[in-house]
């Protein structure tokens, strides 16, 4: 009832009902998500108080079959789901999720048909859109257009001083993001990004020049802050202000402002993220 593409280590394997020998008969764990809830109950309290809530990893089960199978098809399936590797699953070419192989393919045979089962675990439980949003705060815009008239002065480019931008998350859950911070000229010290809606912020206490790029991103779901200068990248996570709390983009509007504590540099901030959904389904 749907198409699934598995990508890993340079290989790509199409599965599903459209022009694929690998028919999927069951795909579990692709929608819904369990929430761990910690509660407590005080003296003479009716009911309970919710102390915390968290979302963990997503188990995914894949069951399918190959009619009139060949040895090459079984080998391709084994290579696609090698133990101790990570794959990216594309659902209907609209959303993707990264998963590790929890159990390699298990086969059962019935004449010329072989059934298979694979168990996966997605450490980050939400599905991300294949379309990445790109937002740029500051920077230059072109000012030289054709046809050209030399009767009046004109600029080749103009710097955009606006450092407010609405980053719209069209998914149904908050999403992590990546940010790049640099200066087109001069330098800027102690850069802060603030969400004007909820006043959450993230501050990197470092000096950025036109030769630097500061990046805020997640790697293996862990927050990282780096600084690249002349091709050399340094970990500067220690410069992250300990009170920072702008780690995700909320659902809907996120009006982001960029500020510097000092310096004459012109800031340019690029923010990237993919809309995320809690689960996927047929016809999404």
């Amino acid at each position: 009832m749907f198409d699934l593409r598995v990508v890993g280590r340079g290989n790509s394997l199409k599965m599903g009902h459209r022009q694929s020998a690998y028919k999927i008969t069951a795909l579990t764990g692709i929608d819904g998500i369990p929430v761990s809830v910690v509660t407590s109950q005080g003296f003479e309290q009716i009911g309970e108080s919710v102390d915390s809530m968290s979302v963990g990893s997503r188990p995914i089960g894949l069951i399918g079959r190959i009619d009139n199978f060949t040895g090459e098809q079984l080998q391709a399936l084994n290579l696609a789901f090698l133990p101790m590797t990570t794959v990216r699953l594309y659902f209907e070419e609209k959303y993707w999720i990264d998963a590790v192989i929890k159990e390699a393919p298990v086969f059962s045979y019935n004449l010329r048909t072989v059934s298979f089962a694979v168990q996966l675990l997605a450490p980050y439980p939400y599905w991300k859109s294949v379309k990445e949003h790109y937002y740029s705060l500051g920077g230059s815009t072109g000012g030289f257009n054709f046809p050209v008239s030399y009767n009046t002065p004109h600029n080749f480019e103009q710097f955009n001083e606006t450092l407010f931008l609405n980053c719209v998350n069209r998914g149904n859950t908050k999403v992590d993001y990546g940010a790049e911070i640099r200066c087109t000229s001069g330098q800027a010290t102690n850069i802060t990004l603030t969400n004007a809606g909820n006043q959450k912020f993230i501050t990197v206490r470092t000096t950025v020049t036109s030769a630097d790029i500061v990046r805020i991103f997640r790697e293996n779901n862990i927050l990282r802050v780096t600084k690249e200068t002349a091709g050399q990248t340094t970990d500067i996570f220690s410069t992250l202000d300990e009170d920072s709390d702008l780690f995700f983009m909320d659902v809907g509007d996120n009006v982001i402002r960029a500020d510097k504590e000092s310096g004459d540099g012109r800031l340019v901030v690029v923010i990237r993220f993919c809309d995320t959904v809690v689960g996927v389904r047929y016809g999404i």
Side-chain angles (χ1 to χ4, degrees):
M1 297 178 63
F2 38 71
D3 283 344
L4 192 70
R5 184 163 59 94
V6 183
V7 178
R9 301 179 304 106
N11 299 318
S12 180
L13 185 67
K14 290 186 177 181
M15 312 178 74
H17 71 293
R18 297 176 188 167
Q19 300 178 351
S20 174
Y22 305 91
K23 308 299 181 184
I24 297 176
T25 57
L27 188 58
T28 61
I30 63 173
D31 54 1
I33 190 72
V35 178
S36 298
V37 181
V38 177
T39 63
S40 61
Q41 190 174 48
F43 179 72
E44 292 292 330
Q45 179 181 349
I46 297 176
E48 295 178 317
S49 299
V50 176
D51 296 328
S52 65
M53 295 182 289
S54 61
V55 175
S57 56
R58 176 189 294 275
I60 299 175
L62 192 158
I63 299 175
R65 75 176 194 276
I66 309 172
D67 299 322
N68 298 315
F69 67 92
T70 66
E72 289 78 9
Q73 291 170 334
L74 301 186
Q75 178 66 6
L77 197 62
N78 275 325
L79 288 175
F81 296 105
L82 282 176
M84 301 182 67
T85 62
T86 300
V87 296
R88 177 163 294 183
L89 305 181
Y90 288 89
F91 186 88
E92 295 285 349
E93 299 296 338
K94 295 179 180 178
Y95 294 92
W96 60 268
I97 194 169
D98 288 334
V100 296
I101 312 304
K102 193 172 181 180
E103 184 176 1
V106 176
F107 299 105
S108 60
Y109 302 88
N110 182 13
L111 300 177
R112 291 300 305 162
T113 296
V114 60
S115 299
F116 59 87
V118 182
Q119 294 295 323
L120 309 169
L121 184 70
Y124 183 82
Y126 300 138
W127 294 80
K128 293 191 174 186
S129 170
V130 297
K131 181 181 179 182
E132 183 181 57
H133 295 298
Y134 173 99
Y135 297 95
S136 180
L137 294 81
S140 299
T141 56
F144 189 82
N145 299 309
F146 291 96
V148 179
S149 172
Y150 292 99
N151 295 326
T152 57
H154 58 271
N155 297 319
F156 286 94
E157 66 176 2
Q158 184 175 6
F159 188 80
N160 179 12
E161 295 285 358
T162 302
L163 289 181
F164 290 85
L165 192 65
N166 188 15
C167 302
V168 183
N169 175 9
R170 295 177 175 84
N172 59 23
T173 182
K174 64 182 181 180
V175 60
D176 58 282
Y177 64 93
E180 291 186 0
I181 304 169
R182 59 186 177 87
C183 285
T184 58
S185 61
Q187 66 179 31
T189 300
N190 298 345
I191 314 303
T192 299
L193 304 181
T194 305
N195 188 324
N198 56 25
Q199 291 303 302
K200 291 184 177 182
F201 71 92
I202 189 167
T203 298
V204 182
R205 298 195 173 280
T206 188
T207 297
V208 183
T209 70
S210 58
D212 303 320
I213 302 177
V214 170
R215 293 185 174 92
I216 304 170
F217 61 99
R218 286 185 182 269
E219 187 176 58
N220 195 24
N221 295 335
I222 299 174
L223 185 66
R224 294 195 59 196
V225 184
T226 64
K227 185 176 184 179
E228 180 182 331
T229 304
Q232 298 295 319
T233 300
T234 306
D235 189 313
I236 60 168
F237 186 83
S238 60
T239 67
L240 187 68
D241 189 286
E242 62 181 9
D243 293 324
S244 296
D245 55 2
L246 181 59
F247 302 127
F248 300 94
M249 294 290 166
D250 290 337
V251 175
D253 296 336
N254 296 269
V255 180
I256 304 299
R257 183 181 78 243
D259 298 294
K260 60 190 176 185
E261 187 174 288
S262 62
D264 59 353
R266 290 178 165 180
L267 281 177
V268 176
V269 179
V270 174
I271 296 175
R272 294 183 175 91
F273 62 86
C274 300
D275 295 336
T276 61
V277 293
V278 172
V280 293
R281 65 187 187 282
Y282 177 71
I284 192 169

